Amino acid sequence: MIRKYVFGKPFVTGAVVKSIKPEIEEIEFLKKSGNELSFQLGRDDIVYGLGQMTRGINKRGWHYSCYNLDNCNHQEDSVSLYGSHNFLIVSGKSCFGIFIDFPGRIDYDIGYKDSSQMKIAVCGDDYDIYIITEKNEREIVKELRRLTGKSYVAPKWGFGYCQSRWGYKSEEDIRAVAENHQKNDIPLDSICMDIDYMEDYKDFTVDKNAFPDLKSLASDMAAEGIHLVPIIDAGVKIESGYEVYEEGVKNNYFCKDKNGKDFTAAVWPGKVHFPDFLQKEAREWFGSKYKPLIEAGIDGFWNDMNEPAIFYTEKRLNSVMNRIGELSEKNMGINEYFEFTGLVNSISHNSGDYEEFFHNAEGVAVSHKDVHNLYGFNMTRAASEAFEKISPDKKILIYSRSSYIGMHRYGGMWQGDNRSWWSHLLMNIQMTASLNMAGFLYTGADTGGFGSDTTEDLMVRWLQFSVFTPLMRNHSAIGTREQEVYKFSNMEDCRRIIKLRYVLLPYLYDTYLKAAEEDDMMFRPLGFDYHDERSRHTEDQLLLGDEVMIAPVYVQNAVGKNVYLPEEMMLVRMKSANEYTTEILSAGDYFVKMPTDELTFFIRKGKSIRVCEGGKNTAELSDKLFRIGYLK
Ligand code: MIG
């Protein structure tokens, strides 16, 4: 059951698809005072949720802020990431879900200042609160999905292995990736094209020197079963004569500054304007720009920098420069030195810049600050709605960096700029469960880690987790150690795991489709199905569908890990479709050896999964299907 409570005059975010009559009674469960909601946490209560966020599956013991942020240095103490998913489930004596539909900032203190108190501060007066009560956590999630709509369904090839790197500079680089996969017998379904393919980082352009004939490249790749997936950034370069810029200016499709002029910020292309994705016309216009690429044979995209990320604005840069000028005239003492570094660091991703521009929401000027969390959502909506028209018969793959609840209807998301850290592998595991709660089924993190240098064992361990997630993409940042798996001495182990992805694909894709159809989750915390204390507090094992439990290794040099089995399960060790062993283990604790050259997972009591013999890509999957698990 869902109850809706309306405060003030909420902005229509587009998160919700079902209209519900608001209650007039006092809000249930939570105490409201001004715009702060509080809840007394019981000793054993778990607080699930917040989608894309740092920390564990249980969000207790820290504070968070849902305000989309490009934070490529995020770690344990970060409080904001790329998306905002204001959905929590309190599970304990009472069990209920809360969804706050508000496009500005919301701060959460979940037992941080006082371990027995949860406090939610909405930074505004106008919002909807939905309280969901159902018989268990999984049903609460389903009810949220019925409220916010069906999850986007990615094409099957989006489940293939993807190789990506920021720094593939030319057609030759792309062809080399394809060839190396072929030569080394490593399956591959797609290659991402990062910003380097564009001419001067201009959206919807292709650098003619580096990529003289994108159409032939795409068709050569297609012949090998490989899809190209170019990136599109939010900011449109200011350059006279550049069509996208000219049209945007002419039609008032860009966000405006305080004086009604097109707002300028600097991102990769240099000075840019931001399309006003809150305007329907601007969405239709921007969406139509994907068409030539689709006509050239492209059928997948990733939308980046759409928080939107801002490297600097002229105004802030000038004021910082002036102050630095003043400081540099003196002989800088230690205090001035710290002021100086602080000033420099304040230039990028400064949320103060969000007060400087405005959207035209159906004729009303709205400060970006108040609707900030809707930007990436609407960029992806623009693309997704356009794809329905441009390519009604063929599903286009789309995933975004920034998001808000409701965007799950239009596309998937990747988990942003992580690092090649073991802690980020664990975070990836935990975040996958939380994202599923918020409706984001098509998701995955940069396998191997984006920033920092990866290691061979981190890569194979990460693959051992990503092998289960919808997006399985090896992506890394320019300047870091190259991490295409064929560059590693442990290529054979990596190849084995990637091949197993294709073996598992019938099961994975079916499970995903079923979750999308039934408004369900693909990945769940153990506590959703098992209610014993150990299960409820397990942070590093997940349930996949109704059949599988996974327990990935995320510690360097580990030979295995402690695994908790809430009930009898079958331990499966797989090296390939033809080489695997199974062993039935009764409920309890085990140290399970997990070598890097096999995939280790568990099949739940009485269940089985349908797999195949694999293939070099999703189009050429073997039709020899067989079952693993409890077979009668
Ligand atoms: O400021 O396009 O998250 O995946 O490789 C960095 C370059 C911009 C951020 C994305 C990342 C991508 C990178 N982009």
Side-chain angles (χ1 to χ4, degrees):
M1 187 172 72
I2 307 184
R3 288 201 190 82
K4 177 180 182 180
Y5 304 86
V6 180
F7 300 95
K9 275 197 157 66
F11 185 87
V12 180
T13 63
V16 162
V17 294
K18 192 165 128 183
S19 81
I20 288 177
K21 214 174 119 237
E23 303 283 329
I24 32 179
E25 323 269 285
E26 289 250 307
I27 187 162
E28 218 188 339
F29 295 111
L30 306 167
K31 219 167 77 206
K32 186 168 182 291
S33 134
N35 293 314
E36 189 183 83
L37 305 160
S38 51
F39 179 81
Q40 171 96 31
L41 290 166
R43 188 178 272 278
D44 299 318
D45 286 358
I46 290 180
V47 182
Y48 293 108
L50 292 185
Q52 183 178 30
M53 193 45 89
T54 53
R55 300 253 164 174
I57 294 175
N58 184 352
K59 289 283 177 265
R60 266 186 96 154
W62 189 239
H63 60 106
Y64 312 90
S65 182
C66 281
Y67 206 55
N68 297 348
L69 178 67
D70 172 7
N71 184 356
C72 62
N73 289 316
H74 60 269
Q75 20 195 325
E76 193 172 318
D77 61 349
S78 300
V79 297
S80 299
L81 290 177
Y82 303 84
S84 288
H85 310 121
N86 296 297
F87 174 61
L88 294 173
I89 298 174
V90 175
S91 156
K93 274 212 192 69
S94 28
C95 182
F96 63 96
I98 321 162
F99 167 45
I100 307 173
D101 192 8
F102 176 68
R105 169 170 162 176
I106 305 183
D107 295 325
Y108 297 82
D109 175 328
I110 308 183
Y112 165 65
K113 283 205 194 101
D114 171 345
S115 55
S116 67
Q117 291 294 324
M118 173 163 79
K119 291 199 186 301
I120 305 173
V122 184
C123 303
D125 301 320
D126 310 293
Y127 45 91
D128 291 325
I129 296 180
Y130 297 88
I131 300 287
I132 309 178
T133 42
E134 284 295 330
K135 65 172 190 286
N136 58 38
E137 297 86 350
R138 191 169 177 183
E139 292 301 321
I140 290 173
V141 168
K142 287 190 183 180
E143 195 67 0
L144 175 75
R145 204 83 60 74
R146 287 190 281 266
L147 177 70
T148 57
K150 295 263 168 231
S151 295
Y152 163 80
V153 174
K156 194 172 187 178
W157 68 263
F159 269 65
Y161 182 62
C162 175
Q163 180 56 54
S164 178
R165 180 170 170 87
W166 175 12
Y168 294 151
K169 290 215 174 317
S170 63
E171 172 172 338
E172 287 71 44
D173 288 353
I174 301 284
R175 288 186 190 275
V177 171
E179 276 158 26
N180 278 307
H181 274 260
Q182 200 111 50
K183 197 168 78 198
N184 293 296
D185 185 30
I186 306 163
L188 186 67
D189 264 83
S190 60
I191 303 176
C192 279
M193 294 164 63
D194 207 321
I195 43 174
D196 319 276
Y197 81 86
M198 297 180 205
E199 181 191 293
D200 299 329
Y201 305 135
K202 284 186 299 217
D203 276 343
F204 310 111
T205 68
V206 178
D207 178 347
K208 284 276 167 264
N209 295 320
F211 293 85
D213 189 351
L214 182 64
K215 205 169 172 174
S216 332
L217 178 66
S219 93
D220 290 351
M221 290 295 118
E224 301 298 329
I226 296 169
H227 301 251
L228 296 178
V229 183
I231 196 170
I232 302 292
D233 278 9
V236 170
K237 186 176 174 66
I238 299 176
E239 185 185 283
S240 68
Y242 165 42
E243 183 193 270
V244 186
Y245 162 75
E246 299 280 358
E247 289 177 6
V249 169
K250 194 170 122 225
N251 298 298
N252 288 311
Y253 288 152
F254 294 129
C255 293
K256 301 287 183 186
D257 67 15
K258 285 182 176 142
N259 304 315
K261 295 215 288 263
D262 292 328
F263 172 73
T264 300
V267 207
W268 287 110
K271 303 279 168 61
V272 302
H273 293 323
F274 290 126
D276 183 359
F277 294 117
L278 264 53
Q279 280 181 49
K280 186 165 181 280
E281 298 73 26
R283 280 201 300 274
E284 282 171 2
W285 162 72
F286 196 83
S288 72
K289 297 289 157 197
Y290 289 79
K291 193 172 176 194
L293 288 167
I294 292 174
E295 283 168 350
I298 300 296
D299 53 5
F301 298 92
W302 43 316
N303 283 347
D304 191 20
M305 306 302 274
N306 51 4
E307 292 72 29
I310 295 179
F311 292 163
Y312 68 86
T313 59
E314 244 158 34
K315 191 172 155 191
R316 187 174 303 280
L317 190 63
N318 286 337
S319 80
V320 166
M321 293 296 238
N322 286 338
R323 179 67 190 139
I324 289 175
E326 286 167 21
L327 291 173
S328 63
E329 275 161 27
K330 304 181 210 159
N331 186 4
M332 266 199 240
I334 197 71
N335 290 332
E336 287 80 13
Y337 163 76
F338 282 115
E339 185 187 344
F340 163 72
T341 55
L343 281 165
V344 171
N345 288 326
S346 73
I347 301 172
S348 293
H349 312 305
N350 190 313
S351 61
D353 294 337
Y354 297 142
E355 292 171 30
E356 301 289 329
F357 61 103
F358 297 82
H359 297 272
N360 172 357
E362 316 220 354
V364 182
V366 179
S367 167
H368 178 77
K369 168 177 165 269
D370 298 327
V371 291
H372 171 62
N373 291 340
L374 299 180
Y375 196 75
F377 167 7
N378 282 285
M379 179 185 184
T380 299
R381 178 175 175 190
S384 184
E385 287 181 339
F387 298 161
E388 301 283 329
K389 292 187 207 140
I390 301 167
S391 175
D393 302 322
K394 189 169 146 202
K395 191 96 200 164
I396 305 286
L397 180 67
I398 174 82
Y399 50 91
S400 171
R401 190 169 75 178
S402 186
S403 63
Y404 180 79
I405 289 184
M407 200 203 83
H408 68 285
R409 302 195 299 275
Y410 298 103
M413 50 156 296
W414 87 99
Q415 294 169 16
D417 294 346
N418 61 11
R419 292 281 191 96
S420 297
W421 291 340
W422 294 88
S423 60
H424 275 186
L425 169 52
L426 174 60
M427 189 175 71
N428 180 193
I429 298 165
Q430 295 168 325
M431 206 193 287
T432 300
S434 307
L435 282 169
N436 269 249
M437 294 175 206
F440 292 89
L441 300 179
Y442 188 82
T443 169
D446 292 350
T447 301
F450 174 75
S452 305
D453 292 333
T454 201
T455 61
E456 298 190 342
D457 56 345
L458 180 58
M459 180 49 81
V460 72
R461 289 303 191 189
W462 211 314
L463 286 168
Q464 285 176 331
F465 171 62
S466 298
V467 73
F468 297 107
T469 64
L471 174 64
M472 185 188 188
R473 182 177 81 146
N474 177 346
H475 181 55
S476 54
I478 194 163
T480 60
R481 178 180 184 180
E482 293 182 350
Q483 61 186 42
E484 293 77 13
V485 299
Y486 49 80
K487 302 232 160 102
F488 292 147
S489 71
N490 69 344
M491 175 183 77
E492 208 173 309
D493 289 356
C494 296
R495 172 171 55 212
R496 220 182 253 278
I497 306 303
I498 297 168
K499 282 191 162 184
L500 284 170
R501 164 69 161 208
Y502 290 80
V503 172
L504 293 172
L505 224 132
Y507 173 67
L508 295 173
Y509 198 58
D510 272 4
T511 305
Y512 166 75
L513 290 179
K514 192 163 168 263
E517 257 166 46
E518 296 175 3
D519 296 326
D520 207 345
M521 298 163 73
M522 184 173 172
F523 293 93
R524 293 183 308 287
L526 259 53
F528 275 39
D529 288 37
Y530 303 101
H531 301 114
D532 59 291
E533 191 183 34
R534 282 291 304 283
S535 295
R536 280 166 49 79
H537 293 284
T538 297
E539 287 275 343
D540 60 351
Q541 299 174 206
L542 294 177
L543 299 169
L544 162 56
D546 284 319
E547 294 80 11
V548 170
M549 182 180 80
I550 59 173
V553 171
Y554 53 89
V555 173
Q556 187 157 33
N557 298 317
V559 293
K561 70 179 277 183
N562 292 310
V563 181
Y564 170 67
L565 264 53
E567 64 175 337
E568 178 195 297
M569 288 190 193
M570 178 183 282
L571 166 65
V572 182
R573 298 182 176 285
M574 275 194 114
K575 281 194 196 290
S576 72
N578 312 311
E579 271 170 282
Y580 64 90
T581 63
T582 63
E583 181 188 347
I584 292 190
L585 302 177
S586 49
D589 284 288
Y590 295 87
F591 182 80
V592 179
K593 283 207 168 177
M594 297 191 183
T596 53
D597 67 344
E598 64 175 40
L599 191 64
T600 317
F601 60 94
F602 301 84
I603 295 183
R604 291 170 70 179
K605 191 175 177 191
K607 307 283 185 180
S608 66
I609 63 172
R610 204 177 55 137
V611 299
C612 76
E613 289 199 348
K616 67 180 259 239
N617 55 50
T618 51
E620 292 180 40
L621 272 192
S622 159
D623 51 16
K624 286 204 189 110
L625 293 158
F626 59 100
R627 283 195 172 270
I628 310 178
Y630 287 81
L631 307 167
K632 275 198 211 126

